[in-house]
């Protein structure tokens, strides 16, 4: 990015870091530099960024907590936006039979789940133990076998690529298994969740169980990418990778977790290139052995 462009970006008034290495911002601890990493603090600042990117014809990429994200070793060109300053979380209304929570996208899903547990509100226990923030969670309908974030959504508000605000209902969004259908270029801002009053004891108990189960089966104490592949219908990606004999295989600092076949871990100094080699190997071997095509759940961004 040219110095002139940097100075134009600076004039927009949003907090910015230039040529910032992105490995600090992903749970796998991999990723080259972002040209400009921006932290808008208001809708107005965000709108200016959207319109600037359109006018200057430079790409704009929004990321969340970086927990299911593989950023290339050469990093990301253009504007890289993080909405961690959008972090309000409130119980909007509550009666004996229903409650509504409003969460901005920068709220961590664990914080959202904790609030439902303290308040004794049922409906989001299924995402207990899932890392990431509400924005990333909504974009990919994060979840577990017990439930997905989209199940509890009433509405989601977003900024479209023209900088205009829109609010869509769950039906409009059409959540599926790790998918959503927002318009291209939509920047998610907040969601309203519809929950059912229960008791703090019951919700806390379920949340605790979910979190414990995850720690037992997944390599969460090492930098990791989350589930690499979606589960193919009726099958489990982790089991297929295991049966293909690939658990524990290393390429450089990257390794297919010996604990869970659908996880790649960074044992120190792994590169995106090494991780991509492993992902290719998992895909090819599972195809060869079982004739099953694994589809990545991990999102790839940036230059190799
Ligand atoms: N399995 C193996 N070998 C392995 C891993 C798993 O044989 O190396 C077998 C297990 O024994 C079990 C089955 O595969 O019979 C399923 O494994 P697990 O319970 O670990 O669940 P998963 O299907 O691998 C899914 C989600 C996880 C979520 C868990 C728990 C996907 C792609 N993954 O994993 O979500 O935490 O269920 O509900 O849907 C994520 O999306 O990032 C994620 C971690």
């Amino acid at each position: 990015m040219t110095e002139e462009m940097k100075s134009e970006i600076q004039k927009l008034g949003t907090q910015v870091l230039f040529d910032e290495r992105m490995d600090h911002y992903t749970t796998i601890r991999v990723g080259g530099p972002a040209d400009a990493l921006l932290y808008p603090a208001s809708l107005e600042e965000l709108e200016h960024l959207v319109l600037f990117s359109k006018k200057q014809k430079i790409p704009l990429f929004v990321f969340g907590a970086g927990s299911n994200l593989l950023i290339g070793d050469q990093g990301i060109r253009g504007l890289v936006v993080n909405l961690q300053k959008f972090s309000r979380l409130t119980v909007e209304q509550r009666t004996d039979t229903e409650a509504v929570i409003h969460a901005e996208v920068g709220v961590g899903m664990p914080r959202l789940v904790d609030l439902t547990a303290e308040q004794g509100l049922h409906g989001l226990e299924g995402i207990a133990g899932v890392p990431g923030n509400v924005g990333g969670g909504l974009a990919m309908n994060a979840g577990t076998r017990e439930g997905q974030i989209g199940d509890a959504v009433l509405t989601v508000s977003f900024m479209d690529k023209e900088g205009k605000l829109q609010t869509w209902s769950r039906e409009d969004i059409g959540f599926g298994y790790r998918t959503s259908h927002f318009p291209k270029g939509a920047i998610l801002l907040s969601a309203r969740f519809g929950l059912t009053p229960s008791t703090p004891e019951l919700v806390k108990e379920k949340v605790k169980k979910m979190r414990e189960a995850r720690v037992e089966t997944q390599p969460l104490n090492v930098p990791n990418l989350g589930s690499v592949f979606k589960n193919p219908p009726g099958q489990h990606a982790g089991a297929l990778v295991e049966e293909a004999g690939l658990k524990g295989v290393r390429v450089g600092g990257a390794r297919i977790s010996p604990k869970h076949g659908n996880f790649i871990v960074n044992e120190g100094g792994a590169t995106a290139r090494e991780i991509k080699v492993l992902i290719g190997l998992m895909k090819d071997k599972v195809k060869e052995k079982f004739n099953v095509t694994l589809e990545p759940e991990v999102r790839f961004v940036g230059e190799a």
Side-chain angles (χ1 to χ4, degrees):
M1 182 174 271
T2 61
E3 291 308 312
E4 285 92 332
M5 184 60 84
K6 285 183 185 172
S7 126
E8 289 301 311
I9 291 171
Q10 201 115 43
K11 283 187 210 148
L12 293 170
T14 286
Q15 187 193 338
V16 59
L17 297 164
F18 292 110
D19 305 311
E20 177 74 356
R21 277 174 52 182
M22 294 299 292
D23 51 349
H24 309 302
Y25 304 95
T26 60
T27 56
I28 187 76
R29 297 279 174 263
V30 168
D35 284 346
L37 172 58
L38 294 133
Y39 291 97
S42 65
L43 287 176
E44 202 185 358
E45 285 190 18
L46 183 62
E47 186 189 342
H48 287 148
L49 294 178
V50 168
L51 299 180
F52 181 84
S53 122
K54 205 174 141 145
K55 182 154 167 252
Q56 302 287 336
K57 298 194 169 55
I58 53 173
L60 182 154
F61 171 70
V62 181
F63 78 105
S67 42
N68 225 198
L69 182 65
L70 185 58
I71 298 177
D73 298 317
Q74 303 311 312
I76 316 177
R77 305 292 73 84
L79 309 180
V80 178
V81 173
N82 190 280
L83 297 178
Q84 69 178 26
K85 291 184 180 174
F86 290 64
S87 62
R88 269 180 303 201
L89 177 63
T90 51
V91 179
E92 222 178 55
Q93 46 170 289
R94 179 172 191 154
T95 66
D96 288 347
T97 52
E98 54 185 16
V100 177
I101 287 184
H102 179 261
E104 290 187 325
V105 284
V107 170
M109 285 189 280
R111 185 177 151 217
L112 171 62
V113 169
D114 281 342
L115 178 70
T116 66
E118 283 154 24
Q119 297 278 328
L121 296 174
H122 160 75
L124 280 168
E125 297 91 327
I127 62 163
V130 178
N133 63 21
V134 167
L138 292 166
M140 61 182 292
N141 196 15
T144 66
R145 272 191 298 282
E146 308 268 337
Q148 314 176 96
I149 192 168
D151 303 343
V153 163
L154 298 173
T155 60
V156 175
S157 298
F158 61 88
M159 186 176 285
D160 66 21
K161 60 182 194 321
E162 318 297 333
K164 299 275 175 290
L165 299 182
Q166 295 198 38
T167 298
W168 278 19
S169 70
R170 183 177 60 234
E171 291 74 28
D172 298 331
I173 299 160
F175 288 108
Y177 171 54
R178 300 293 187 276
T179 60
S180 63
H181 296 92
F182 292 101
K184 200 167 154 38
I187 299 176
L188 309 189
L189 300 170
S190 67
R192 290 167 66 251
F193 297 100
L195 302 160
T196 319
S198 163
T199 68
E201 292 68 33
L202 281 173
V203 181
K204 278 182 186 162
E205 176 68 20
K206 179 70 185 168
V207 165
K208 187 164 169 266
K209 275 204 182 125
M210 295 280 301
R211 287 177 174 162
E212 282 169 2
R214 198 164 175 115
V215 171
E216 241 164 64
T217 55
Q218 301 175 3
L220 302 183
N221 56 345
V222 216
N224 70 79
L225 265 183
S227 290
V228 175
F229 296 102
K230 298 182 191 184
N231 282 333
Q235 288 178 299
H236 294 284
L240 293 169
V241 171
E242 172 163 0
E243 285 161 37
L246 292 175
K247 275 170 96 169
V249 170
R250 282 195 178 89
V251 174
R255 189 179 192 195
I256 300 172
S257 168
K259 191 167 179 183
H260 195 298
N262 199 20
F263 275 70
I264 289 177
V265 293
N266 180 357
E267 293 196 328
T271 62
R273 191 178 291 262
E274 290 163 357
I275 292 169
K276 282 190 179 162
V277 171
L278 281 181
I279 293 175
L281 185 69
M282 291 154 93
K283 208 174 158 166
D284 291 351
K285 284 277 176 219
V286 166
K287 177 74 186 168
E288 191 183 303
K289 206 151 183 223
F290 306 106
N291 196 28
V292 173
T293 305
L294 291 176
E295 199 189 315
E297 172 173 310
V298 164
R299 172 125 190 247
F300 304 93
V301 64
E303 301 178 349

